[in-house]
């Protein structure tokens, strides 16, 4: 079984990828410092508790396990925090990624899957957004993801690194078996916040901005189920291991849902109203982000299984009610 190093494999998206890899003939080796990740998210898996910024720990992992490829999820992902503390973001998301890439170079590992983001596009100049859309990120978080994409392209030319950067739109939902799901140190994402407000574990949820130039005045996003993301990562990994070409690929459902629609669907799924407070716009939020996902279909033969937003929210609601961490 090929050993795949998964950095951030105890985090939200990483843990779903690790589960999917293990179920499909790969042997994931998780490297996670558990600053955001959870040990409970990866029971029975090989977990090395260390940082990607630690060259000695990386050397040990690459020496002990014959690593065939690296999937890189460990990054900070709070847009607001990236504005107030950019040093943290550049040091970790860019600096520590360079340390990881250097360890790969020293150990002759050239296959790299990168967790990128639609945040690299910035404010859309047209929609839906395809991979050729200009990349002008509007916050440090998005810039760190774009910088790593650019570094990877330089490393491809110079050192033959073979990478696929997957630009996700909005990751959502939880594993349908209810054992793993979203659990952040500080929750900033819409769906868990609405569900927690419905459940009563937080007093209310704020709706950021009702005066956008969108059909109902609230922001539109393209939500993709985390298990679909995991499947797409495996498809990209298999492609690279079989000699496929480096690429940057969007992962989305090609459906836009407004914040109001999401709140209404959460209420429908939970059978209860959400206490919502209409608030000012959140700085840095583009009005609408919807993917064009033709490249994922063509290059990865990937189509999302979850195309009904209700079904995505049902898995998140199940998790919210029985969360283990
Ligand atoms: N929103 C609210 N109230 C909240 C939280 C969010 O109204 O309490 C709105 C936001 O303003 C936005 C929408 O709900 O319009 C979705 O917000 P999320 O915070 O759930 O997600 P983002 O769209 O901000 O996601 C962005 C990028 C991703 C990136 C992620 C990092 O689209 O690529 O931030 O967390 F990975």
């Amino acid at each position: 079984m090929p050993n795949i190093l998964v950095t951030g494999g105890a985090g939200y998206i990483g843990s779903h990828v690790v589960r999917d890899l293990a179920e499909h003939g790969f042997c994931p080796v998780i490297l996670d410092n558990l600053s955001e990740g959870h040990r409970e998210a990866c029971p029975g898996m090989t977990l090395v508790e260390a940082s990607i910024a630690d060259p000695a720990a990386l050397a040990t992992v690459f020496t002990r396990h014959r690593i065939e490829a690296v999937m890189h999820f460990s990054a900070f992902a709070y847009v607001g925090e990236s504005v107030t503390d950019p040093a943290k973001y550049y040091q970790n998301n860019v600096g520590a990624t360079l340390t990881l890439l250097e360890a790969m170079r020293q150990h002759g590992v050239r296959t790299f899957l990168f967790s990128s983001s639609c945040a690299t596009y910035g404010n859309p100049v047209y929609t839906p957004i395809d991979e050729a859309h200009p990349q002008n990120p509007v916050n440090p978080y998005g810039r760190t993801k774009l910088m790593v994409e650019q570094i990877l392209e330089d490393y491809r030319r110079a050192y033959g690194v073979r990478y696929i950067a997957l630009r996700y739109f909005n990751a959502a939902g939880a594993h349908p078996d209810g054992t793993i799901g979203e659990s952040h140190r500080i929750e900033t994402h819409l769906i868990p916040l609405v569900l927690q407000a419905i459940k009563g574990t937080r007093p209310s949820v704020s709706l950021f901005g009702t005066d956008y130039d969108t059909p109902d005045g609230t922001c539109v996003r393209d939500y993709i189920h985390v298990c679909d993301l995991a499947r797409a990562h495996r498809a990209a990994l298999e492609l690279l291991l079989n000699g496929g070409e480096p690429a940057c690929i969007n992962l989305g459902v090609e459906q836009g849902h407004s914040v109001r629609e999401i709140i209404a669907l959460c209420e429908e799924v939970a059978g209860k109203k959400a206490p919502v407070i209409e608030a000012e716009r959140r700085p840095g939020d583009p009005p609408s982000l919807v993917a064009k996902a033709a490249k994922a279909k063509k290059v990865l033969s990937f189509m999302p299984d979850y195309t009904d937003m209700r079904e995505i929210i049902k898995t998140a609601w199940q998790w919210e009610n029985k969360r283990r961490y």
Side-chain angles (χ1 to χ4, degrees):
M1 284 209 291
N3 290 336
I4 310 297
L5 178 63
V6 185
T7 73
Y12 172 42
I13 300 172
S15 60
H16 289 77
V17 169
V18 162
R19 173 78 68 85
D20 179 81
L21 288 175
E23 286 170 358
H24 292 87
F26 293 95
C27 181
V29 176
I30 300 169
L31 184 79
D32 200 305
N33 64 0
L34 300 180
S35 68
E36 298 282 342
H38 307 269
R39 191 179 291 282
E40 302 91 319
C42 37
M45 306 278 178
T46 306
L47 168 65
V48 180
E49 195 180 330
S51 162
I52 54 161
D54 178 350
L58 287 170
T60 307
V61 171
F62 280 102
T63 309
R64 278 216 186 125
H65 307 272
R66 222 182 123 252
I67 301 292
E68 302 266 333
V70 175
M71 297 176 105
H72 180 36
F73 295 94
S74 61
F76 293 126
Y78 298 115
V79 172
E81 187 184 63
S82 82
V83 175
T84 53
D85 193 2
K88 179 174 173 181
Y89 279 70
Y90 289 112
Q91 269 156 16
N92 182 64
N93 295 10
V94 181
T97 299
L98 284 170
T99 306
L100 172 65
L101 287 168
E102 190 51 31
M104 287 176 61
R105 218 155 70 82
Q106 281 166 11
H107 293 86
V109 179
R110 290 208 177 85
T111 305
F112 193 78
L113 267 294
F114 179 54
S115 165
S116 190
S117 169
C118 67
T120 60
Y121 294 119
N123 289 321
V125 290
Y126 59 81
T127 188
I129 300 171
D130 61 13
E131 291 81 355
H133 186 285
Q135 288 179 291
N136 291 308
V138 292
N139 51 61
Y141 166 72
R143 279 190 277 280
T144 64
K145 292 286 174 179
L146 178 56
M147 283 176 189
V148 173
E149 284 194 8
Q150 292 167 334
I151 289 166
L152 288 172
E153 185 52 24
D154 289 339
Y155 277 42
R156 180 187 70 77
R157 289 205 191 100
Y159 311 128
V161 168
R162 305 185 58 263
Y163 73 92
I164 291 183
L166 294 167
R167 296 178 185 154
Y168 332 141
F169 282 65
N170 288 49
H175 199 287
D177 78 0
T179 56
I180 50 176
E182 189 165 11
S183 179
H184 292 115
R185 180 170 48 91
I186 308 166
E187 193 49 78
T188 62
H189 293 112
L190 179 65
I191 295 172
L193 289 176
V194 174
L195 295 176
Q196 286 165 18
I198 290 176
K199 208 167 170 264
T201 46
R202 59 179 75 231
S204 61
V205 59
S206 298
L207 195 175
F208 296 137
T210 55
D211 58 350
Y212 284 97
D213 185 15
T214 56
D216 68 11
T218 66
C219 288
V220 171
R221 294 289 182 273
D222 183 338
Y223 296 86
I224 178 164
H225 195 275
V226 65
C227 290
D228 280 329
L229 283 182
R231 230 168 19 87
H233 280 80
R234 177 163 45 87
L237 172 67
E238 284 166 348
L239 181 72
L240 284 178
L241 293 177
N242 292 323
E245 288 302 310
C248 296
I249 302 174
N250 283 346
L251 294 178
V253 180
E254 299 191 321
Q255 286 173 21
H257 293 279
S258 74
V259 176
R260 282 203 202 282
E261 278 170 14
I262 294 294
I263 294 171
L265 285 169
C266 287
E267 292 176 335
E268 192 186 308
V269 166
K272 205 175 156 207
K273 285 296 227 191
V276 175
I277 295 172
E278 295 194 1
E280 292 298 304
R281 292 182 178 197
R282 187 172 69 176
D285 274 340
S288 177
L289 292 171
V290 180
K292 185 149 177 55
K295 192 168 176 184
K297 188 173 171 192
K298 184 163 171 241
V299 177
L300 303 177
S301 304
F302 169 77
M303 298 260 283
D305 283 339
Y306 286 86
T307 52
D308 180 349
M309 195 64 224
R310 234 175 246 94
E311 296 305 314
I312 296 180
I313 292 173
K314 273 185 196 163
T315 64
W317 180 235
Q318 171 177 266
W319 168 250
E320 213 47 72
N321 283 303
K322 288 202 209 121
R323 47 195 303 154
R324 301 181 175 200
Y325 50 88

